[in-house]
Amino acid sequence: MKKLLSFLFLFVASQASAIDVFDVYPTNWWVGMKNPKLQLMIHSKNVAETIPVFKLPATGVRIADGMTLKAIHHVENPNYVFLDLIIAANAKPGVRVLEIVVPGSHVKINYELMAKSKEDGKTRTQGISSKDFLYLMIPDRFSNGDPSNDIIAEYRDQTSDRKSMFARHGGDFKGIENHFDYFQQLGVTALWLTPIIENNTGRMSEGGNSIAGYHGYWFTDHYQIDKRLGGNDGYLQFCNAAHKRGIKVVQDAIYNHISKEHFFATDPPTADWLNNWPSFTGPNHREETLFDPYGSAYDKKVMLDGWFTDHLPDLNQRNPFLATFLIQHAIWSTEYFGVDGWRVDTYKYCDEQFMNNVNAALEKEFPAITIFGEAWVNSVIANAYFTQNTMGSPFKHNANSVIDFQSCFGMLAAMGLSQGWTDGVNKLYMTMAQDLVYKNPMRNCIFLDNHDMDRVFSVVDEDWARLKLGLTWLLTLRGIPQLYYGTEVLMKNKKTRTDATVREDFPGGWEGDSVNRFTEAGRTEKENESFTYVSTLANFRKRSSALTTGKTTQFLPVRGLYTYFRYDTKQTVIVVANTGNNAAKPRWNTYTERTTGFSKIKNVITGKISSFEEIELQPKECFVGELVK
Ligand SMILES: [Ca+2]
Ligand SMILES: [Ca+2]
């Protein structure tokens, strides 16, 4: 897009009418933003010669209608110039020519200030809440709606090959859009796509395999959406179409690193743009280094500045120009596409103050926006550390949500049926009991698996009853439930040699697929049972105030029987799961603080109304019921 939406510098005066094309970031901006400041990054060979630094009056210089130039910055690399601008509160939308008169040249830049969407906070940029049901997918692996974009001539990787799990497979926005009916049938209200920004990389070697950037985590140009997915226009069209259907969109951000083929790596603006090391140094992955009262500065530096892999240079977000670039890009993406929320990759490896700054800047412009960091950590304290919490740590993170790995581990342990004092369902109970460290645990994003983990159906040894326990907790515990694509139709696999085994194509997503699990007819009986269960419970949940916004009371697990209630003044829902070895009845005599005033119970899956006493659960069985007066 950057070349197409080109920004022309016309060298007039001494250089006659020479015309050049420069890359300018952000590629456009808006009038009426709460923050009137805008910093343009101009990238072009020796652009510092064309725009020399010169002293501006303190009030700045008017360079276009409603736009004032406050400062010109040079950095070590002459291929970059940074311009500090102020946009007047009363500036009108439209394309204008920024005129910069410098000794020896008169630079003109075409630049557009657009009108902000009036739908922000209404049908777009709405945020994600516990009322939502989020569906995570890898766009390349979900469905191919446009085979003509599978290979893009100018890109380094010229392969699209479904026979290779390491190659790109051709999935795209159009393919996802073709299945909006499927998501709505399933009860899904929001989609989280792994990163959609251009990954114009060659194959990279990881774990002895030669891998394509099919997953999207190797950015090469922040302002270009990958053309194999549909490009900028395709993503905008996709976001608009989703919003029209009442489906929200969560974008996956990466502030921590870039591909080594990004121009930030091949032509870094400053010597400290990347966190450089004498030789490859990976992070120690120990989040404790950030909050350990006895931690060393050395360990913290390795954690924050180590490179995730040798082909993913680590960004130094302490550099103010880089920080501004990343913050403005986040705002640009949100306003341009109408993104409802952000999932932030590798959160715990990023400079902490920078993360708070980018989150605050996003919330300032889009008060409803949801931001959840990927905090793959090993304790509840660490999980809470990376979101708003109630702990007394010296540094306080401000993310308004977090990916809740601890409840995931709790649910996995509970599905494992161990009867240990701190294991099995007791681990889930204990994890929930530690919610006091979160400022608002209802905003935690909860899940059973994701694109980096063994698929949950394989984790439970393809035992539907155990998966059903997990799906039940996922859709009835506090928080924002997230399902990984295909779990609902029993997609399986473990990460045997690579992540790619848990990122297979959704069957039926490609024309001519022999199996189509998008349709009832294309699914086996077991797959339909699972799909129907998720769909029934998710659609009940959608209408249930108790499950989406209600309070929780949980009871101590007894011989593997775990019971909790979700309730508010309008509704009370009981969830009972038997992870023990013997048939068991709910212990009604101990639940009276939640059951008083009710006489019957309605099974939310079957609709059957029965007395409390009739309910009995076989081992691995679970029950979700709405109490009836
Ligand atoms: Ca395609
Ligand atoms: Ca880092």
Side-chain angles (χ1 to χ4, degrees), residues 8-258:
L8 300 182
F9 271 59
L10 302 175
F11 297 174
V12 289
S14 63
Q15 296 186 38
S17 59
I19 295 174
D20 206 343
V21 178
F22 292 81
D23 295 334
V24 179
Y25 307 101
T27 48
N28 72 276
W29 204 245
W30 290 268
V31 296
M33 303 299 272
K34 296 212 173 65
N35 179 3
K37 292 181 183 173
L38 173 67
Q39 183 171 76
L40 296 184
M41 170 193 277
I42 319 277
H43 183 209
S44 178
K45 188 84 184 153
N46 284 323
V47 67
E49 284 180 18
T50 311
I51 312 179
V53 170
F54 63 101
K55 194 166 168 52
L56 294 163
T59 52
V61 173
R62 182 185 177 280
I63 56 167
D65 189 22
M67 297 179 80
T68 302
L69 177 66
K70 293 285 280 184
I72 300 173
H73 302 281
H74 282 186
V75 287
E76 289 117 295
N77 184 339
N79 297 338
Y80 293 87
V81 167
F82 295 86
L83 306 178
D84 289 350
L85 304 175
I86 299 286
I87 298 168
N90 60 357
K92 298 277 180 294
V95 177
R96 60 255 282 148
V97 179
L98 312 185
E99 292 197 65
I100 303 164
V101 182
V102 297
S105 69
H106 178 170
V107 176
K108 296 185 178 182
I109 308 172
N110 280 343
Y111 197 75
E112 183 172 14
L113 293 181
M114 296 168 71
K116 276 188 72 178
S117 171
K118 291 191 170 63
E119 290 299 308
D120 283 357
K122 296 175 190 163
T123 59
R124 70 205 294 273
T125 67
Q126 291 184 83
I128 308 295
S129 77
S130 54
K131 292 180 178 174
D132 285 303
F133 180 25
L134 186 56
Y135 192 86
L136 161 63
M137 68 179 78
I138 297 172
D140 180 68
R141 299 293 162 92
F142 191 69
S143 176
N144 190 358
D146 180 5
S148 77
N149 63 16
D150 294 358
I151 296 173
I152 300 290
E154 78 229 37
Y155 280 171
R156 291 184 176 95
D157 187 349
Q158 287 294 303
T159 307
S160 177
D161 177 10
R162 292 182 70 203
K163 291 194 193 77
S164 163
M165 67 173 136
F166 302 126
R168 289 180 170 272
H169 291 181
D172 47 39
F173 299 131
K174 193 84 194 108
I176 302 168
E177 204 177 320
N178 289 343
H179 296 96
F180 283 163
D181 286 342
Y182 177 81
F183 302 132
Q184 288 191 315
Q185 204 186 347
L186 190 57
V188 163
T189 65
L191 304 175
W192 155 21
L193 283 54
T194 59
I196 43 81
I197 285 172
E198 182 188 86
N199 279 205
N200 179 15
T201 65
R203 294 292 189 96
M204 295 293 159
S205 176
E206 279 185 1
N209 302 309
S210 172
I211 298 175
Y214 69 89
H215 43 64
Y217 287 96
W218 303 341
F219 291 0
T220 53
D221 180 353
H222 284 74
Y223 282 87
Q224 176 64 56
I225 305 299
D226 204 291
K227 294 176 184 173
R228 287 161 292 211
L229 301 179
N232 290 31
D233 292 346
Y235 186 47
L236 179 58
Q237 138 77 23
F238 165 75
C239 291
N240 287 341
H243 289 144
K244 203 166 274 179
R245 295 287 294 262
I247 296 173
K248 298 174 185 177
V249 178
V250 173
Q251 191 166 329
D252 203 323
I254 311 166
Y255 302 115
N256 184 60
H257 53 256
I258 46 168

Side-chain angles (χ1 to χ4, degrees), residues 472-486:
T472 304
W473 291 318
L474 177 71
L475 287 164
T476 58
L477 282 169
R478 95 292 188 265
I480 308 165
Q482 169 247 297
L483 192 76
Y484 184 44
Y485 78 99

Side-chain angles (χ1 to χ4, degrees), residues 302-603:
V302 172
M303 175 63 193
L304 290 176
D305 295 357
W307 289 26
F308 207 70
T309 72
D310 61 356
H311 64 87
L312 296 175
D314 200 67
L315 291 170
N316 172 19
Q317 303 107 357
R318 295 175 296 269
N319 179 296
F321 295 109
L322 172 59
T324 300
F325 177 93
L326 295 171
I327 290 170
Q328 289 183 161
H329 174 259
I331 292 170
W332 179 88
S333 307
T334 311
E335 179 58 40
Y336 197 94
F337 300 111
V339 172
D340 295 281
W342 288 94
R343 177 264 188 187
V344 181
D345 185 63
T346 42
Y347 200 96
K348 66 181 190 177
Y349 304 90
C350 294
D351 181 75
E352 297 185 276
Q353 188 56 52
F354 165 77
M355 281 315 311
N356 275 4
N357 293 350
V358 66
N359 295 343
L362 275 169
E363 283 190 311
K364 183 175 179 179
E365 302 294 346
F366 312 101
I369 202 80
T370 301
I371 299 157
F372 45 89
E374 178 205 18
W376 189 327
V377 296
N378 295 305
S379 68
V380 173
I381 282 177
N383 224 143
Y385 178 74
F386 293 102
T387 183
Q388 295 172 17
N389 62 61
T390 60
M391 302 186 297
S393 56
F395 188 88
K396 303 285 275 184
H397 278 273
N398 68 359
N400 57 31
S401 180
V402 71
I403 297 186
D404 186 349
F405 275 85
Q406 300 318 296
S407 64
C408 171
F409 300 150
M411 287 188 277
L412 292 177
M415 281 184 276
L417 308 179
S418 158
Q419 301 299 310
W421 180 251
T422 59
D423 198 7
V425 79
N426 287 311
K427 180 165 178 171
L428 179 57
Y429 161 80
M430 290 166 64
T431 303
M432 289 298 131
Q434 294 171 70
D435 265 5
L436 80 167
V437 295
Y438 297 105
K439 189 172 166 201
N440 185 0
M442 290 292 274
R443 302 199 70 152
N444 286 19
C445 177
I446 66 174
F447 60 101
L448 298 171
D449 60 355
N450 64 29
H451 55 305
D452 294 322
M453 301 170 73
D454 293 340
R455 277 188 173 274
V456 62
F457 191 46
S458 292
V459 174
V460 298
D461 306 320
E462 301 177 31
D463 180 342
W464 161 240
R466 285 164 63 200
L467 178 64
K468 193 174 173 184
L469 292 174
L471 291 168
T472 304
W473 291 318
L474 177 71
L475 287 164
T476 58
L477 282 169
R478 95 292 188 265
I480 308 165
Q482 169 247 297
L483 192 76
Y484 184 44
Y485 78 99
T487 294
E488 72 279 14
V489 290
L490 307 181
M491 282 178 72
K492 59 192 183 191
N493 263 351
K494 291 191 177 180
K495 301 199 300 178
T496 42
R497 288 186 294 141
T498 155
D499 288 339
T501 51
V502 299
R503 300 168 176 184
E504 291 188 330
D505 297 343
F506 192 106
W510 276 250
E511 207 177 320
D513 277 359
S514 56
V515 173
N516 183 359
R517 289 193 212 173
F518 284 115
T519 66
E520 188 179 348
R523 294 189 285 261
T524 66
E525 197 178 320
K526 272 190 165 177
E527 289 157 9
N528 270 320
E529 187 179 355
S530 174
F531 179 89
T532 303
Y533 187 73
V534 174
S535 167
T536 306
L537 192 50
N539 280 294
F540 171 79
R541 182 184 188 280
K542 218 192 253 185
R543 300 184 302 272
S544 166
S545 61
L547 291 183
T548 53
T549 57
K551 296 176 180 173
T552 301
T553 298
Q554 65 170 346
F555 290 81
L556 279 172
V558 177
R559 288 181 292 281
L561 188 84
Y562 178 44
T563 300
Y564 56 86
F565 289 81
R566 300 296 311 280
Y567 67 100
D568 59 17
T569 53
K570 297 190 287 282
Q571 187 183 43
T572 297
V573 173
I574 181 174
V575 180
V576 196
N578 185 4
T579 69
N581 300 322
N582 302 302
K585 289 194 161 203
R587 305 171 77 238
W588 296 107
N589 62 320
T590 69
Y591 307 152
T592 53
E593 65 195 273
R594 290 274 73 85
T595 57
T596 300
F598 297 101
S599 61
K600 290 189 163 53
I601 190 162
K602 181 181 175 185
N603 183 321

